[in-house]
Amino acid sequence: MIQFTQAIVRLPGAELARGLSSANLGAPDLDLAMQQHAAYCAALRRCGLNVISLPADPQFPDGTFVEDTAVIAERSTLVTRPGAPSRLGEVPSIHECLRRLRADIRQIRPPGTLDGGDVCQAGTHFFVGISARTSPAGAWQFCEIQRAAGYTASTVDVRGNSTLLHLKSGIAYLGENRLLIAPGTPITPEMQDFERIAVRDEEAYAANCVRVNDQVLIAEGYPRTAEALRGCGYSILPLAVSEFRKLDGGLSCLSLRF
Ligand code: CIR
């Protein structure tokens, strides 16, 4: 499993409640969101990461979901072209930040679109969701960039499942050749090479967990998934993310890890 040393996050700002949402769970509470974000950053530090925290930008209410703006792997770095027009402007500041940290940064070019939430790296393979946010053209550009960097890549069309905003709303790579998968996530031939752990229907949101070094960050309140992960030998760190869930966000989308 990749050992991460750094994470980039962006603080939620006063404009958070204007973020895109289909969740119907009400408006996020900013104070609680700030507390949850602080606990999330503390968890990343506990996993050994140096956390680079960017300020909120009032122009971009979804800016705290930094995962969608870049994909950073050992052999490649790229900035995305988010599929929601209101989020396109989040990319330049992330690009600027990455320029100081990474060499040879590639870009998804128009008219292709790609959200980082649609990218699931599983060892040396990338699964790329084609979704309401990531276009087939964006996914193909992504696959070409990763193949040139020496990875393999394949697409997963999630457009048939309206509960999946992104591929990673329904799948996580745990390491040790294991995928955690929510019901309704398409199973592609490339996934057959992995051990697959099923998340129960009523705990589907818990599929968006994140392996960070020796820990697995998991949303708080999903006991069956937590038990399944512990049963596989993982040490888990449950975190409250209710306020980000109100904006269709999960654990993975709050950071870029590398
Ligand atoms: C959006 O709709 O773009 C944000 N409200 C949520 C993005 C969540 N991103 C992710 O899960 N990777």
Side-chain angles (χ1 to χ4, degrees):
M1 193 68 194
I2 304 165
Q3 283 292 306
F4 296 120
T5 58
Q6 311 243 43
I8 298 173
V9 301
R10 189 188 291 283
L11 290 170
E15 61 293 335
L16 185 70
R18 287 192 284 110
L20 300 170
S21 178
S22 65
N24 267 322
L25 293 170
D29 174 321
L30 181 60
D31 286 343
L32 187 52
M34 297 289 282
Q35 282 173 36
Q36 293 180 346
H37 196 266
Y40 179 85
C41 294
L44 292 176
R45 289 190 190 98
R46 195 167 145 195
C47 296
L49 275 57
N50 173 48
V51 177
I52 301 166
S53 184
L54 303 176
D57 181 336
Q59 283 181 277
F60 303 111
D62 285 304
T64 194
F65 302 114
V66 279
E67 176 182 64
D68 293 320
T69 59
V71 179
I72 310 172
E74 283 172 307
R75 294 181 230 150
S76 65
T77 305
L78 64 89
V79 287
T80 67
R81 214 175 151 266
S86 64
R87 301 199 59 192
L88 280 168
E90 293 173 24
V91 174
S93 62
I94 294 289
H95 200 167
E96 188 52 42
C97 173
L98 286 176
R99 263 195 278 264
R100 280 179 253 124
L101 301 163
R102 311 283 296 184
D104 193 20
I105 302 172
R106 308 291 305 274
Q107 280 177 272
I108 299 295
R109 304 277 176 200
T113 62
L114 180 121
D115 277 17
D118 274 312
V119 174
C120 176
Q121 184 180 0
T124 56
H125 188 78
F126 281 97
F127 293 104
V128 191
I130 296 175
S131 68
R133 299 292 177 84
T134 295
S135 66
W140 276 106
Q141 284 181 44
F142 179 86
C143 290
E144 287 306 305
I145 290 169
Q146 300 304 356
R147 287 179 189 133
Y151 293 105
T152 54
S154 61
T155 57
V156 186
D157 193 336
V158 301
R159 289 173 294 184
N161 183 341
S162 61
T163 67
L164 300 178
L165 173 65
H166 291 121
L167 173 63
K168 269 194 305 212
S169 311
I171 194 169
Y173 182 61
L174 295 168
E176 292 76 36
N177 209 47
R178 286 192 185 109
L179 294 168
L180 184 67
I181 305 189
T185 305
I187 305 295
T188 62
E190 293 80 5
M191 292 179 195
Q192 309 288 348
D193 297 337
F194 294 82
E195 182 187 341
R196 297 183 302 282
I197 299 170
V199 173
R200 294 165 68 100
D201 222 354
E202 68 277 14
E203 295 202 359
Y205 181 73
N208 182 257
C209 68
V210 195
R211 170 82 184 264
V212 185
N213 299 343
D214 296 334
Q215 309 279 335
V216 179
L217 312 189
I218 174 176
E220 172 185 273
Y222 297 94
R224 308 301 288 263
T225 309
E227 189 183 299
L229 292 175
R230 281 199 202 92
C232 293
Y234 294 110
S235 166
I236 63 166
L237 273 179
L239 289 167
V241 279
S242 61
E243 302 318 289
F244 301 102
R245 187 180 187 181
K246 291 175 180 172
L247 299 164
D248 301 334
L251 279 169
S252 72
C253 56
L254 292 174
S255 62
L256 288 161
R257 304 153 298 275
F258 54 104

